[in-house]
Amino acid sequence: MTTRGARRRWRGAFGALAALGAVAASTTPGPADAAAIATCTPGGALVEMDGEIEPADAKSYLLLPFEVAPGTTRVEVGYSWADRDPAQAQQPQSATVVDLGLWDEDGTTGADAFRGWGGSRQGVLHRDMAPVWVQADSADRGFTPGVVEPGTWHVELGFGNVNSGGGSWHVELRCLDPLVGATPAADPVDAAHVASSEAGWFHGDLHMHGFHSATAGPTPAEIAAHAREVGLDFLPITEYVTTRHHGEWGVTARANPDLIIWPGREVITYFGHANVLGETPGVVDYRHGYAEVTLGDVQAASVAAGALFQINHPTIFPEPVFTSFCRGCEFNLRGAIDLSLVDTVEVLTGPVEVGPDYVGLPPGPGIENPFVQTAVAFYEQLLLDGHRVAPVSGSDEKKAEGHGSSATAVYAEQLSRPALEAGLRAMQSYVRTRGVAGSPAIEVTATDGTDTVMLGGTLAAARASMTIRVTGAAGQGVEVTRNGLPLVVLPVASDDESFELPIVRTPDEGPLGTFHRVDVREPTGIRSVISSAIFLADAVPPVRGPGAGNGPLDGTPVD
C-alpha cells in the first residue's frame, strides 16, 4: 500500500524548503459553518457548486472547501464559467477568464498543500469534458501526484478578468476509489552538470513552456530535440506555476549530456509575471494580493533557495486594453519586489517581427514587435536607477517548434548552470532576436589603456575606447546608445565588420555610472541584436554572487 509519507518525499525531494513556501498564513475564504461544506464520497453523487462573478472580483481568488471522504484514492475537478453578456464572451480583450488551482487537506498555503494549477483550461464532468485529476501514482498536467488523504480540500478559482457585465461559475467534484500504484519517484536533473568545460558564448531561450503548461504541451524529449536543431545550449524550463517538472527531467538530461536543462517556473500573478530560474520546490505561491501574499515574498524565498529572479515581458499587452487578452502580463509590481534582487529582464518576448493582427488590428506588413521598445526602455531605466540587470529574451512558447525563435547569448566560463548564472549576474549577455541561425553575432569590448572589459563590465575611467565587432549583419546598422539616448549609428558594409569609437562619462548618468549599449538594426528598423551595457564609473563593482544585491558599489539608495 502507498503511504502518506511517499507523497511527502516526492514533493520535498530537493531539500527541506517547505518553510520557504509559507509566504502567507490567514483564514481561508469559504463557508463559516462546517456543516455546509459538501462531502465528496467514492461512488457518491456529483458535488456541484455555483456562484456569480462581479467586475469587482477581478484579480482575486475564491477558495471553495470540500470534504474528501475516507477511502478516496482519486479526486476529479471540473469547472466552467460564463459571461452574462454573450457578446462580451466573444471578445478576447474583454471576456471573463477564470483559473483553477487545487489544495489538499494540508491547507491553502505552502508546498505540502499545493496540488497544482491548470490555468484556464476549463472542463466540466457532466459535459464529457476532461476534468483535472490527482491520485497517488499520476495526475493531470500541472498537478501533483500523491496519496489522496481524507480531510478538507479546496478548489481555487482565480478571477483573472471579469468583464463589465459579470458572469457565473460552476464547479463539479467527483471522488473515486480505483486501485492505484506507488507515487512516482523524483528524478531531478543534476544541477552541477557540466556539458562543456570550454569557455564561450552559449545560447538559451529564457522563457520556455512544456508539457505542464498546455493540454498539448511538448514532452521533455521533444523539447530537447528541437532545441538542438535551433542551436540552443541551455534550456530554462519555466512551466506555469507548478513545480512538478522539477522531478521529471532527469532522464532527458541524461540522454542529452551536451545540453544544460534548467528547471524553473513562471510565477503568474494578476499584476505581473516573473520567472524563477532554478528548482524551488518549497516555494509554490503565485497569488499576489491573496491572504497577504506578495510577489516580493515569493521573490525573497526563491532567491534564498538559490534561484535567479527574472521580470517577464514588463510592458507587453498593457492594461486596461489587454486585461483579458493577456491577464496580468504587464508588470505592475516594481514597488512590491526588491529590485536589487532582480537578475534578468525580458526585453523581447515572442517574435521580434509581428503583423498588426498581433494586437488585434487588420493584417498588414511586418513591423517590430511594439513592446520591444517599451521593454528596452524599462530595462534601461533599471540601469539608470542603479540596478545591474542582464537583458534576456524568451519565446514564451508552449510548442517545441516555437522555442528558440529568439536566443539569449551568455558568456560563461563553461557550459554549466553555475557558470551561466555567474555570466548572467555579470550582465555578460545579449539577445539575438531571430534566433541563433537568423541573427548577427557581436563582440563588444572597451579599454582605458590599462584594463579591458566585455559586455557587463565596468572601467574606473572617465573615457575609454569601445570596439564593436559584428558578424552576419551586412546591410544593417549598429546603433550605440549612451544612458538610454542615441549616440551614433554605424552602417555595416560586410558580414564581418569592426568599429572603434571613443566613449566618455556624462552628467546624466545614474548610480552605476555612464553606460553604453549596442543594438543592431535591420534596414526596416527591426532590431536583430539587443545588448547588455558597458559602464564607465568611479569604481569597479565587486563580483556579484548568489543572492547578492545588484545595486551600486557605494550603497547609494535606489528605488
Side-chain angles (χ1 to χ4, degrees), residues 73-147:
T73 60
R74 177 183 173 102
V75 173
E76 297 182 349
V77 182
Y79 84 124
S80 66
W81 69 89
D83 289 303
R84 293 192 187 113
D85 180 356
Q88 287 190 320
Q90 303 303 314
Q91 302 299 319
Q93 294 179 7
S94 63
T96 296
V97 180
V98 181
D99 297 313
L100 179 72
L102 183 64
W103 301 80
D104 69 17
E105 83 287 348
D106 278 322
T108 57
T109 61
D112 281 345
F114 183 56
R115 278 304 188 102
W117 187 86
S120 57
R121 55 179 195 256
Q122 58 181 319
V124 184
L125 299 172
H126 76 263
R127 298 178 190 171
D128 297 322
M129 296 174 67
V132 304
W133 49 274
V134 295
Q135 60 186 49
D137 54 1
S138 59
D140 194 17
R141 296 172 188 248
F143 292 80
T144 302
V147 177

Side-chain angles (χ1 to χ4, degrees), residues 189 206 234-238 245 260-265 276-279 307-308 416-417 420-421 424:
V189 303
L206 272 289
F234 63 97
L235 315 181
I237 311 300
T238 54
H245 60 298
I260 291 297
I261 310 298
W262 193 345
R265 73 182 187 117
V276 172
L277 302 175
E279 297 91 339
L308 296 184
S416 69
R417 195 192 303 183
L420 290 166
E421 291 174 350
L424 287 168

Side-chain angles (χ1 to χ4, degrees), residues 17-24 103 109-112 280-285 287 293 298 301:
L17 299 172
L20 295 173
V23 296
W103 301 80
T109 61
D112 281 345
T280 58
V283 188
V284 298
D285 225 321
R287 299 167 297 177
V293 174
V298 176

Side-chain angles (χ1 to χ4, degrees), residues 31-330:
D33 182 359
I37 300 176
T39 298
C40 186
T41 304
L46 192 70
V47 175
E48 300 186 60
M49 304 179 189
D50 294 276
E52 301 298 308
I53 318 171
E54 304 302 334
D57 295 323
K59 300 182 184 295
S60 69
Y61 299 89
L62 176 64
L63 275 291
L64 303 170
F66 65 99
E67 289 294 321
V68 172
T72 300
T73 60
R74 177 183 173 102
V75 173
E76 297 182 349
V77 182
Y79 84 124
S80 66
W81 69 89
D83 289 303
R84 293 192 187 113
D85 180 356
Q88 287 190 320
Q90 303 303 314
Q91 302 299 319
Q93 294 179 7
S94 63
T96 296
V97 180
V98 181
D99 297 313
L100 179 72
L102 183 64
W103 301 80
D104 69 17
E105 83 287 348
D106 278 322
T108 57
T109 61
D112 281 345
F114 183 56
R115 278 304 188 102
W117 187 86
S120 57
R121 55 179 195 256
Q122 58 181 319
V124 184
L125 299 172
H126 76 263
R127 298 178 190 171
D128 297 322
M129 296 174 67
V132 304
W133 49 274
V134 295
Q135 60 186 49
D137 54 1
S138 59
D140 194 17
R141 296 172 188 248
F143 292 80
T144 302
V147 177
V148 173
E149 298 283 359
T152 303
W153 289 47
H154 290 81
V155 171
E156 173 189 291
L157 299 182
F159 303 124
N161 184 60
V162 182
N163 74 41
S164 59
S168 61
W169 56 263
H170 176 74
V171 170
E172 296 178 351
L173 306 167
R174 180 162 57 198
C175 290
L176 304 168
D177 57 356
L179 294 175
V180 295
T183 300
D187 186 12
V189 303
D190 177 5
H193 174 65
V194 178
S196 172
S197 59
E198 300 294 323
W201 289 96
F202 302 107
H203 295 90
D205 180 339
L206 272 289
H207 192 163
M208 306 171 70
H209 294 291
F211 183 83
H212 292 294
S213 292
T215 54
T219 65
E222 290 169 336
I223 292 174
H226 178 76
R228 182 175 287 103
E229 290 177 4
V230 298
L232 298 181
D233 304 300
F234 63 97
L235 315 181
I237 311 300
T238 54
E239 299 278 29
Y240 291 130
V241 173
T242 186
T243 61
R244 177 176 167 184
H245 60 298
H246 291 174
E248 297 179 332
W249 270 83
V251 63
T252 304
R254 291 188 296 275
N256 296 272
D258 56 329
L259 301 177
I260 291 297
I261 310 298
W262 193 345
R265 73 182 187 117
E266 184 172 18
V267 182
I268 302 293
T269 85
Y270 294 143
F271 306 90
H273 299 180
N275 274 353
V276 172
L277 302 175
E279 297 91 339
T280 58
V283 188
V284 298
D285 225 321
Y286 48 90
R287 299 167 297 177
H288 178 91
Y290 167 76
E292 300 180 355
V293 174
T294 73
L295 184 58
D297 297 325
V298 176
Q299 177 196 35
S302 300
V303 171
L308 296 184
F309 188 86
Q310 173 174 306
I311 294 176
N312 287 350
H313 40 66
T315 60
I316 204 169
F317 298 120
E319 298 185 358
V321 175
F322 297 101
T323 300
S324 174
F325 186 78
C326 191
R327 59 195 183 282
C329 287
E330 181 187 22

Side-chain angles (χ1 to χ4, degrees), residues 503-528:
I503 56 175
V504 298
R505 294 183 70 175
T506 56
D508 61 341
E509 66 181 29
L512 299 177
T514 294
F515 68 86
H516 292 77
R517 285 198 325 99
V518 174
D519 292 345
V520 182
R521 290 184 183 267
E522 300 168 357
T524 60
I526 295 174
R527 292 172 176 85
S528 57

